[in-house]
Amino acid sequence: MSLDLPVRLRRLRRTPQLRSLFAEVSVTPGDLVQPYFIVPGKGQKAETRPGVGLWQLSPDMLREEVQQLAKGGVGGVMLFGVPDHKRDDGKGLEKQMAPLEAAVKEAKAAAPDLPLFADVCLCAYTTHGHCGLVKGNEIVNDESVAVLSEMAVLLAKWGCDFVCPSDMMDGRIAAMRKALDEAGQQNTSILSYAIKMASAFYGPFREAAHSAPSFGDRKSYQMPAHNRREARRELLADVAEGADALLVKPAMTNLDLIRDAREVTDVPLFAYQVSGEYAMMRAAGDAGLIDFERAVDESLVSIKRAGADVIVSYAARTMARK
Ligand code: PBG
């Protein structure tokens, strides 16, 4: 017996070739950006925990790594600095960022044309671990913006293609654009972490960057996960201030906001599959509960389908090296 069906969706799913032909989105290494944590010293190259994808490298170890990823067609590399000393007055950034300066130069020597991104934030640079300057118990906005702008100018001068403010202070994009232009860095782009939630999924990152807050939390500057309209306001504010590209994070808990962002603006859109998302899949894989590689592939496809053009992910390295 057969059903009288005008529509049979399974017809186009019969073979791998058909499924591939009709795939609406796909993810290639060229869509991905790989994060690295730059530590001081020489000859350092290790994951914070085996398999967790958070690589801490000294600048000298970056060259070969970046060459390999460039050969594998990765879309870009994003650097986070882990300084050897912390201070709370926002002065002496250049010294604190010395390993990062060396790393930017290594990465550019290894692959001059590979887009190079660098995080702009104070959490790894201060003893209190907050993303801005602290006065009393307050994370102050405008003074922080001034220091973050200086940080962006240094990164631009050293050769970064994108500066990526992840601090969530108000007005940083406009201030940063102005500072970059005044410093003659008109060609440096700003990738704004426009929608960044105060999230439980950053744990492994804070271990890698030594950036956990020593008091309180980040809820007075990072966004509450509850608010869709507020997320839209964040996006529009950053576009108006001159952001070249926008980023939403975490990715998997905010797929709806990635879709909103895609529809609200035509600015290129990034999503960050953050450390806790990747580590969660890894831990479940290690426990024999899920197939890690398939889970990662599925998650990246979902993020792309939601509307992201580019995904920052700890999976980029593995995909590009395959
Ligand atoms: C710095 C920053 C964080 C992440 C990116 N930039 C951590 C935080 O806000 O505490 C998280 C990325 C990840 O978890 O992979 N502010």
Side-chain angles (χ1 to χ4, degrees), residues 11 16-17 27 40 55 77 112 174 188 195 208 213 223 227 235 242 244 250 285 293 303 306 314 322:
R11 265 198 291 267
Q17 290 76 8
V27 177
W55 287 90
V77 161
T188 305
I195 303 178
M223 262 203 60
N227 289 356
L235 290 171
D244 297 285
E293 278 187 32
I303 296 164
Y314 302 94
K322 251 188 223 157

Side-chain angles (χ1 to χ4, degrees), residues 121 123 166 196 202 205-206 218 222 249 274-275 314:
C121 195
C123 59
S166 67
K196 177 174 182 181
Y202 307 148
F205 174 100
R206 291 178 187 174
R218 303 212 198 290
Q222 298 181 347
K249 76 187 261 192
V274 301
S275 59
Y314 302 94

Side-chain angles (χ1 to χ4, degrees), residues 228 231-232 235 255-265 269 306:
R228 181 178 177 197
R232 189 184 155 96
L235 290 171
L255 294 172
D256 58 333
L257 303 184
I258 294 173
R259 171 50 49 189
D260 283 349
R262 178 68 299 146
E263 284 164 12
V264 164
T265 124
L269 185 62

Side-chain angles (χ1 to χ4, degrees), residues 66-82:
V66 167
Q67 272 164 352
Q68 284 222 28
L69 291 203
K71 222 190 284 162
V74 80
V77 161
M78 185 181 280
L79 304 180
F80 292 88
V82 186

Side-chain angles (χ1 to χ4, degrees), residues 143-221:
E143 292 91 329
S144 301
V145 167
V147 178
L148 292 160
S149 300
E150 275 176 48
M151 196 173 208
V153 168
L154 286 172
L155 290 163
K157 283 187 174 160
W158 295 333
C160 285
D161 302 299
F162 288 80
V163 291
C164 314
S166 67
D167 51 282
M168 291 298 280
M169 299 298 131
D170 287 324
R172 73 241 163 98
I173 304 301
M176 222 163 264
R177 184 70 270 160
K178 186 160 177 276
L180 288 167
D181 289 352
E182 283 172 5
Q185 304 298 325
Q186 280 83 0
N187 287 335
T188 305
S189 303
I190 302 179
L191 164 61
S192 170
Y193 284 63
I195 303 178
K196 177 174 182 181
M197 297 302 178
S199 170
F201 289 97
Y202 307 148
F205 174 100
R206 291 178 187 174
E207 188 174 274
H210 306 301
S211 66
S214 66
F215 71 89
D217 53 42
R218 303 212 198 290
K219 290 181 181 166
S220 76
Y221 42 106

Side-chain angles (χ1 to χ4, degrees), residues 281 292-303 305:
M281 291 187 279
F292 171 67
E293 278 187 32
R294 283 187 50 212
V296 169
D297 287 348
E298 183 178 331
S299 67
L300 296 174
V301 164
S302 310
I303 296 164
R305 191 195 63 231

